[in-house]
Amino acid sequence: MKKQLYLFYLLLSNILFAQTSVEPHRPLFHFTPKTGWMNDPNGMVYYKGEYHLFYQHYPDSTVWGPMHWGHAVSKDLMRWEHLPIALFPDSIGCIFSGSAVVDVKNTSGFGKKGGESPLVAIFTYHNFEGERANRNDFQSQGIAYSLDKGRTWVKYAHNPVIKNTGKRDFRDPKVMWYEPTQQWIMTLAVANHVEFYTSKDLKNWAQTGEFGHTEGSHGGVWECPDLFQLPVDGGKTQKWVLIVNIGNGAPNGGSGGQYFIGEFDGKTFKNDNKPSDILWLDYGTDNYATVTWADAPNQKRLSLGWMSNWQYAQIVPTQTWRSAMTLPRELGLVNTHQGVRLIQKPVKEVEILRGDKNTLSKQVIASTLGLKTKGKGQEISLTFDLSKTTASDFGIELVNSKGEKVWIGYEKTTQRFFIDRTEGGKKDFHKGFAKRHYAPRLSKDNLLKLSIFIDVASVELIADDGLTAMTDIFFPNEDFNKTAIFSKNGSTFLEKCVFWQLK
Ligand code: FRU
């Protein structure tokens, strides 16, 4: 979209949006674009009190098209302010996924003496003409900078900074500052592996290594990588985490995210686990392109994913907009009986959404127990005692007056968590959408903890203090207005339940 046209469109859509803001399936507390199409989160960076969220955006339609970088900022990760589109397609190509950094030392030279630190965005250029002409070099890496806290962006005059030498899938640069060598490191997804590049100035890049040809899952093309270090169990030992999203082959079908734990020496990554080991970030079908914020306060590693799946993202039944992001999550590493594993929990800021609170404790649940919720946004935290449980499965049931239902819980007989959307409302838009999804349980603890975040059209299940995550979307024909704890084929013992109405 041309810039002038876009400003007119912005005005018009604001007027229209004001009139049509009551829409089915629009979430209460998850980020969505005002209008139009959204996929991957991009360029996430924290600078001077603001979390920036850019995202793959096609403003002209609710399906994927020539990509722009949409933009929003937040002070608390919960309340977002929409800003004008940050990056538009240009003569080199449209703007695919990438990252952003604060160039504190002005290594790029984009900054002015004594002025703001440049924010530098590093993204993939995708050239449709090249692709249509069946060339192999239609993706390359470009950069742009902002000297006004991300409000306006200037593309670098000598883009692209990394040309393509004939690799068809060559994209999604994630850049970080590497202290030991005082250099920038880029992790780039290239078909079935990642490549590492270094640079002193964000403009000149040299490849230093690659990883992954025969490691992890290869059910689809590798996309949207991320690389960062985290302490294990909050202690002195640090490990590197390499996130790699894959376009297909996730545990419950379609696109999903995997990760590797290992070492990074400034040049390349070494996996601590067996090449055949696959570690999944999330077992639901709706958490893709997860990457993390650069420079989040207090050394926190905060992630965000696109809450959809390439299998059906373009045909889900929303009208003026398509797709939401997951809740931002805080990542950590813990030792388990299977080795070091990633844990994730919604960020602490979720607490600002909490309204009315209710608690229950020490109860036998023999069939169902209704919770006093008012529907829509809910956070439910449950602890069950498995040693006093005879039920085959138990958990939370969402119901509306049309009789549509979603179940979230645990199957004791198979030791798996599940989210079941087979009867959750609209499903005909995609064969295979109405399904029960599973996740294996890693913990062996008799106390089983479920932390559940329910929005109008999604649920995020965080089990065993973050060891297992499942994210699923659904589209009820009417909002769910009843929530109950259920127990099937026997009883379960509820140690504790706290639930909040979310605002
Ligand atoms: C992942 C992805 C990226 C690409 C972008 C295009 O969902 O395919 O690899 O950069 O989306 O919108």
Side-chain angles (χ1 to χ4, degrees):
M1 199 193 280
K2 290 265 155 34
K3 223 169 191 162
Q4 300 84 327
L5 245 178
Y6 169 64
L7 289 175
F8 176 66
Y9 161 84
L10 209 63
L11 186 76
L12 204 69
S13 71
N14 269 330
I15 297 169
L16 285 177
F17 181 73
Q19 292 168 352
T20 57
S21 59
V22 183
E23 302 160 287
H25 314 310
R26 176 79 84 172
L28 207 61
F29 57 90
H30 286 85
F31 180 82
T32 47
K34 234 180 190 176
T35 56
W37 168 264
M38 174 177 84
N39 57 294
D40 316 352
N42 293 151
M44 285 143 58
V45 64
Y46 179 84
Y47 182 60
K48 292 206 171 159
E50 288 180 326
Y51 291 91
H52 289 265
L53 168 60
F54 301 87
Y55 52 90
Q56 287 290 279
H57 184 41
Y58 185 34
D60 296 354
S61 171
T62 47
V63 295
W64 190 86
M67 286 291 119
H68 301 52
W69 271 27
H71 189 196
V73 288
S74 173
K75 290 187 167 51
D76 58 21
L77 293 163
M78 292 295 121
R79 291 167 289 209
W80 292 94
E81 179 193 344
H82 289 285
L83 292 179
I85 289 174
L87 297 173
F88 287 76
D90 61 39
S91 61
I92 306 178
C94 58
I95 318 294
F96 271 21
S97 287
S99 49
V101 294
V102 184
D103 184 11
V104 183
K105 295 178 198 239
N106 195 19
T107 61
S108 60
F110 290 139
K112 299 208 179 68
K113 226 178 156 205
E116 286 281 335
S117 292
L119 292 185
V120 181
I122 309 97
F123 53 85
T124 295
Y125 268 120
H126 182 96
N127 186 291
F128 279 109
E129 285 96 71
E131 187 183 17
R132 274 195 290 270
N134 221 3
R135 295 171 63 112
N136 284 330
D137 59 356
F138 51 85
Q139 295 185 336
S140 60
Q141 319 316 318
I143 60 176
Y145 65 93
S146 167
L147 300 177
D148 57 1
K149 300 187 198 162
R151 273 27 183 206
T152 58
W153 290 82
V154 181
K155 300 219 185 83
Y156 178 47
H158 304 290
N159 275 337
V161 292
I162 302 184
K163 293 202 178 75
N164 189 323
T165 53
K167 299 168 177 172
R168 283 189 72 84
D169 295 294
F170 188 65
R171 58 179 178 269
D172 309 340
K174 176 74 193 208
V175 175
M176 63 165 183
W177 179 250
Y178 187 68
E179 234 2 87
T181 56
Q182 297 287 296
Q183 280 181 330
W184 299 101
I185 309 273
M186 178 194 293
T187 310
L188 194 69
V190 187
N192 63 347
H193 64 281
V194 292
E195 296 182 352
F196 302 103
Y197 293 76
T198 60
S199 172
K200 290 264 179 219
D201 58 6
L202 294 163
K203 295 170 177 163
N204 298 288
W205 294 91
Q207 196 187 334
T208 57
E210 51 189 68
F211 167 83
H213 293 266
T214 56
E215 316 240 1
S217 172
H218 286 276
V221 65
W222 281 25
E223 299 182 315
C224 302
D226 200 350
L227 177 69
F228 48 86
Q229 209 175 16
L230 277 176
V232 180
D233 291 319
K236 287 217 174 77
T237 312
Q238 303 257 342
K239 279 282 163 198
W240 285 87
V241 180
L242 173 66
I243 289 181
V244 176
N245 288 277
I246 57 169
N248 201 10
N252 283 291
S255 44
Q258 61 178 324
Y259 69 95
F260 301 89
I261 307 271
E263 294 302 327
F264 180 74
D265 61 2
K267 292 184 174 150
T268 198
F269 180 85
K270 213 171 139 274
N271 191 0
D272 276 0
N273 295 298
K274 289 204 289 288
S276 57
D277 288 345
I278 303 173
L279 309 180
W280 294 108
L281 270 175
D282 192 305
Y283 281 84
T285 42
D286 301 291
N287 185 353
Y288 192 56
T290 295
V291 285
T292 66
W293 262 278
D295 298 340
N298 308 318
Q299 313 276 318
K300 284 190 181 172
R301 190 46 66 175
L302 308 178
S303 72
L304 192 74
W306 171 47
M307 203 155 52
S308 199
N309 190 308
W310 277 118
Q311 283 189 330
Y312 44 72
Q314 303 194 72
I315 48 171
V316 295
T318 58
Q319 274 113 48
T320 54
W321 55 282
R322 269 214 180 96
S323 303
M325 296 297 183
T326 64
L327 277 173
R329 299 180 188 173
E330 182 172 352
L331 305 182
L333 290 178
V334 292
N335 259 307
T336 72
H337 66 277
Q338 290 188 359
V340 177
R341 292 292 181 270
L342 200 68
I343 54 165
Q344 50 191 311
K345 294 177 194 167
V347 292
K348 206 170 165 359
E349 284 83 350
V350 171
E351 290 175 11
I352 60 184
L353 304 176
R354 287 177 179 170
D356 294 353
K357 175 184 171 183
N358 280 287
T359 47
L360 296 169
S361 63
K362 307 233 182 267
Q363 291 202 26
V364 175
I365 313 282
S367 58
T368 55
L369 174 72
L371 300 179
K372 284 199 201 81
T373 57
K374 297 187 206 104
K376 286 210 174 175
Q378 298 167 58
E379 176 183 347
I380 309 172
S381 154
L382 303 140
T383 308
F384 294 96
D385 189 339
L386 291 179
S387 70
K388 298 181 197 159
T389 293
T390 58
S392 62
D393 52 327
F394 58 87
I396 287 288
E397 176 180 82
L398 308 176
V399 192
N400 65 15
S401 59
K402 289 193 165 11
E404 294 167 341
K405 290 182 180 172
V406 166
W407 295 273
I408 307 119
Y410 183 66
E411 268 184 21
K412 196 181 175 217
T413 38
T414 62
Q415 299 176 21
R416 293 183 297 178
F417 300 102
F418 64 85
I419 298 177
D420 189 332
R421 63 182 181 194
T422 46
E423 292 175 33
K426 297 171 189 153
K427 54 189 169 192
D428 295 341
F429 58 90
H430 175 76
K431 192 172 149 283
F433 182 82
K435 259 202 186 144
R436 183 168 172 112
H437 301 140
Y438 289 104
R441 185 177 189 220
L442 184 58
S443 167
K444 294 189 188 308
D445 204 324
N446 259 333
L447 289 184
L448 180 124
K449 294 189 196 164
L450 305 179
S451 192
I452 301 172
F453 299 82
I454 300 157
D455 205 331
V456 175
S458 66
V459 61
E460 283 155 284
L461 165 66
I462 304 292
D464 292 324
D465 292 318
L467 268 186
T468 305
M470 290 187 88
T471 306
D472 268 16
I473 54 174
F474 43 74
F475 300 94
N477 284 297
E478 180 190 292
D479 287 346
F480 289 120
N481 57 1
K482 280 199 200 107
T483 305
I485 305 177
F486 78 91
S487 169
K488 250 175 81 181
N489 306 320
S491 65
T492 182
F493 190 79
L494 178 70
E495 266 297 320
K496 193 168 181 188
C497 167
V498 187
F499 58 104
W500 291 269
Q501 201 64 51
L502 297 184
K503 290 177 270 191

